[in-house]
Amino acid sequence: MIDRAGLADFLRRRREALQPEDVGLPRGARRRTPGLRREEVAALSHMSTDFYSRIERERGPQPSEQMVASIAQGLHLSLDERDHLFRLAGHRPPTRGPAGDHVAPGMLRIFDRLTDTPAEIVTELGETLRQTPLSVALVGDSTRHTGPARSIGYRWFTDPTARRLHPREDHDFYSRMYASGLRGIVTLRGPGSRAAELADLLLARSEEFRARWAEHEVGIRPREVKRYLHPSVGELELSCQIVQDPFQSHSLLVHTATPGSPSHEGLRLLAAAEPRAT
């Protein structure tokens, strides 16, 4: 059952312990509230201020599991804190590990500071959890997808529009890389895993994937320099650096361009045109 008093107290104390700069927000000149304001937490959690405020005041309906997960992410809670929040709200905590979507606070703190860079946080299956505005301007909103289409590897073999991001001469490499990557995850996670289910779906839907899967290639890593095709600024060559969270099997992908290069100028033009999605 929901512990309304405990839930309200925990949320209030976690909110007051956070500073705006901890979550990528400007502090402002006339701030009196210790920590974050309720409306700031509500915005970070993608819910109305009224809904969040009622929880802190021990009122309103029991928040759903989806709402609790959004609050946990908005407050940058650790996994232990997230699980505690779920129990206070009367729910069973989500599964930990590679199947989880909860991003670690440390990775979020890095991500929140990448406001002028294309960056995204992805799962081991290539599901985008967070994107910076410049990443959305570069490749579109990858968080909008649902079901198996959340995985970029799945979209690569089932949605022709996914290939428009890259020059045609790079397509063969990406096909090999996605098939190889999924093969490795299936071997790591085993039968019955989400990776195995994704592979079965692709084997049923894509002739090209079946051919790549039969080759049994492993260990094909992403290239450090990726080429993107953008309808407004043309071809961009971007270096991709990867920061990994081994506990949640999440990766932070950060794309940069060589200063003074045409690609650097292209990113500058994209940033000036925000918000814009391809």
Side-chain angles (χ1 to χ4, degrees), residues 103-115 117-124 127-132 135 226 239-246 248-255:
V103 182
M107 183 167 282
L108 273 181
R109 284 192 290 271
I110 299 172
F111 176 84
D112 289 337
R113 285 158 173 77
L114 299 174
T115 55
T117 304
E120 59 181 322
I121 298 174
V122 301
T123 69
E124 65 180 8
E127 302 158 323
T128 301
L129 304 177
R130 293 290 182 98
Q131 272 181 289
T132 60
S135 173
K226 299 181 180 180
S239 296
C240 180
Q241 303 301 318
I242 303 175
V243 178
Q244 294 185 321
D245 174 4
Q248 285 292 92
S249 296
H250 294 161
S251 297
L252 171 61
L253 312 181
V254 183
H255 295 84

Side-chain angles (χ1 to χ4, degrees), residues 21 38 92 100 192 201 237 245 252:
E21 52 269 26
R38 288 193 181 99
R92 184 187 300 274
L201 286 173
E237 291 190 356
D245 174 4
L252 171 61

Side-chain angles (χ1 to χ4, degrees), residues 159-221:
D159 182 0
T161 63
R163 304 195 175 200
R164 296 176 184 171
L165 292 172
H166 304 285
R168 182 175 295 276
E169 53 267 31
D170 293 348
H171 289 185
D172 181 71
F173 170 79
Y174 278 102
S175 295
R176 295 173 59 217
M177 182 190 74
Y178 287 131
S180 165
L182 185 56
R183 170 76 72 174
I185 300 171
V186 170
T187 302
L188 176 65
R189 304 303 176 195
S193 64
R194 291 181 61 231
E197 293 174 1
L198 194 64
D200 288 341
L201 286 173
L202 284 170
L203 287 169
R205 291 202 56 183
S206 171
E207 182 179 351
E208 181 188 7
F209 180 80
R210 287 195 294 272
R212 296 295 182 187
W213 192 255
E215 292 169 359
H216 210 125
E217 288 189 296
V218 294
I220 299 178
R221 305 297 181 187

Side-chain angles (χ1 to χ4, degrees), residues 48 86 102 143 172 187 213 262:
S48 71
F86 266 81
H102 185 80
T143 65
D172 181 71
T187 302
W213 192 255

